[in-house]
Amino acid sequence: MAARAREDGGPGLGRGPRGCEHYDRGCLLKAQQTCEECSTLFGEYYCSICHLFDKDKKQYHCENCGICRIGPKEDFFHCLKCNLCLAVSLQGKHKCIENVSRQNCPICLEDIHTSRVVAHVLPCGHLLHRTCYEEMLKEGYRCPLCMHSAVDMRRYWKHLDEEVAQTPMPSEYQNMTVDILCNDCNGRSTVQFHILGMKCTICESYNTTQAGKQRVSLDQQ
């Protein structure tokens, strides 16, 4: 950083303290990108607000986020409700949750707002680090917070329709129904029990769970 000489001189000259108790030199530090004396470049990128020095990574300072982010700036916009810079491709095309960026990633439990790892917005509006999202898809397809499907599962549901049709249940289960709750539409319905999955009658998703009531035989109703 560049230095400017103080007019009060040093303690030996009897002109008072220099700087503060933690900094006893005859100069003041002034954060800037280059040295005033030798023009040495301290960083290809410098933010006069964050006092951040770094290599050029197309950074930009977001006033709403209060920090510098890796750009380029034209590829991002700040969502005021989510309180985070997101890819412009998501503008008007994502579900907003108030201040969702202030929550930690539910996978790694690390901060999302100040992370250098890009945030991935799930269809439900919850955020994960992009790297955590990619690891999550190796094990499952649902949001770890609300269990909503994290990807478009319609092709898989059609495949599951075929498997269910080709896999008849044993006779003692063929007339059994169960109450289910859909994790995708939050709707409740009563459907025929099947070991491969129980399809929501509202949105046709298999991302369902038993609602807790006992199964009822159709011939007993």
Side-chain angles (χ1 to χ4, degrees):
M1 296 183 184
R4 293 186 299 183
R6 289 180 61 98
E7 295 180 356
D8 57 7
L13 299 177
R15 298 189 181 180
R18 297 167 297 182
C20 64
E21 60 179 316
H22 308 108
Y23 184 75
D24 188 23
R25 295 183 184 177
C27 62
L28 286 174
L29 291 182
K30 181 179 68 174
Q32 60 186 43
Q33 192 168 11
T34 59
C35 176
E36 291 180 349
E37 297 296 329
C38 65
S39 299
T40 296
L41 184 68
F42 299 123
E44 295 173 339
Y45 173 80
Y46 169 67
C47 175
S48 60
I49 301 174
C50 299
H51 299 303
L52 170 67
F53 296 85
D54 203 353
K55 294 181 178 179
D56 183 13
K57 301 171 185 175
K58 307 298 182 183
Q59 299 95 324
Y60 66 97
H61 181 86
C62 176
E63 293 184 1
N64 291 308
C65 285
I67 59 175
C68 291
R69 297 202 176 277
I70 297 177
K73 183 177 182 179
E74 56 269 19
D75 290 348
F76 296 88
F77 78 102
H78 184 89
C79 177
L80 293 175
K81 188 171 183 179
C82 295
N83 202 2
L84 185 70
C85 287
L86 300 172
V88 293
S89 59
L90 293 173
Q91 193 163 12
K93 300 178 181 178
H94 70 285
K95 182 178 179 179
C96 292
I97 297 179
E98 192 79 27
N99 284 327
V100 68
S101 71
R102 294 307 196 271
Q103 300 175 5
N104 288 343
C105 173
I107 301 294
C108 68
L109 304 182
E110 296 291 337
D111 181 60
I112 289 180
H113 185 76
T114 60
S115 176
R116 290 192 175 188
V117 180
V118 176
H120 181 85
V121 186
L122 300 180
C124 57
H126 291 121
L127 300 181
L128 285 75
H129 292 122
R130 174 61 62 84
T131 51
C132 293
Y133 168 74
E134 293 171 351
E135 287 297 316
M136 182 198 74
L137 290 182
K138 297 178 182 179
E139 304 293 335
Y141 66 90
R142 296 185 291 190
C143 170
L145 292 176
C146 66
M147 306 303 288
H148 191 284
S149 294
V151 293
D152 187 350
M153 298 292 292
R154 285 176 294 183
R155 290 182 61 184
Y156 180 72
W157 298 155
K158 290 181 180 180
H159 175 72
L160 201 52
D161 279 340
E162 297 175 0
E163 289 199 9
V164 168
Q166 296 173 8
T167 311
M169 293 293 291
S171 57
E172 59 267 32
Y173 291 102
Q174 288 183 356
N175 293 324
M176 300 297 290
T177 62
V178 61
D179 295 330
I180 61 170
L181 171 66
C182 179
N183 292 317
D184 286 340
C185 71
N186 294 320
R188 293 176 178 268
S189 53
T190 301
V191 299
Q192 185 175 0
F193 171 77
H194 200 285
I195 192 65
L196 294 180
M198 290 165 286
K199 184 176 182 178
C200 174
T201 59
I202 301 172
C203 70
E204 300 187 338
S205 167
Y206 278 93
N207 181 12
T208 60
T209 184
Q210 187 171 338
K213 293 185 178 181
Q214 296 293 324
R215 299 165 186 167
V216 180
S217 174
L218 290 175
D219 56 12
Q220 295 177 355
Q221 293 183 346

